[in-house]
Amino acid sequence: MLNNSRVEANIPAADLQRARTFYADILGLTPVQEMGGVNLVYETAGGTRFNIYETGFAGQSGHTIAQWHVTDIESDVRDLKAKGVGFEVYDMPGVEWDGEIASMKGMGRAAWFKDSEGNTMCLDQADT
């Protein structure tokens, strides 16, 4: 039934302007559309779309809400750290850490950070 449908992620923001600034200045993203002053629509060069919407429930999720598939995780972590992004290190069984980058056998490597709204984001790089 939904197999032929597109899926978009929705990312909550308590302060839409603060989120816009973070996603522009830190992640290098510009919205392609603004809807009603309460929703920003983004589209990456990779073809992914996501929305940031204003709500009082931002940052309350205890899990990763968006994952960015990257090709050079070390470089991306280094660049984000240079822009002031702090990375999370979690106690997870079977995971080996090299600084902020986790290695998970058979899955690849990942690094987690929080956006300006307290939402957990992930960079991941598949094993080659």
Side-chain angles (χ1 to χ4, degrees):
M1 176 170 114
L2 299 178
N3 191 47
N4 294 324
S5 300
R6 289 177 33 128
V7 175
E8 292 184 14
N10 292 305
I11 300 172
D15 183 324
L16 196 62
Q17 187 56 46
R18 179 178 60 210
R20 177 197 295 262
T21 300
F22 176 86
Y23 279 77
D25 295 350
I26 304 299
L27 303 184
L29 301 167
T30 303
V32 295
Q33 183 179 7
E34 183 169 347
M35 300 169 68
V38 295
N39 188 68
L40 302 172
V41 180
Y42 290 82
E43 190 168 323
T44 69
T48 303
R49 278 181 78 127
F50 65 93
N51 306 291
I52 299 178
Y53 68 99
E54 196 164 74
T55 176
F57 298 103
Q60 295 183 20
S61 174
H63 61 279
T64 303
I65 64 166
Q67 206 158 321
W68 306 85
H69 305 299
V70 300
T71 57
D72 186 350
I73 195 167
E74 288 91 355
S75 176
D76 291 326
V77 166
R78 184 176 51 253
D79 291 349
L80 288 172
K81 284 177 67 174
K83 292 181 177 186
V85 173
F87 282 82
E88 308 283 312
V89 176
Y90 301 110
D91 184 19
M92 300 186 302
V95 174
E96 294 181 25
W97 291 89
D98 181 10
E100 299 89 356
I101 299 174
S103 292
M104 297 159 285
K105 195 170 194 119
M107 294 177 65
R109 295 178 297 154
W112 290 268
F113 66 94
K114 293 192 184 294
D115 72 0
S116 62
E117 307 309 295
N119 300 305
T120 302
M121 304 288 168
C122 178
L123 302 177
D124 76 13
Q125 181 176 342
D127 283 336
T128 55

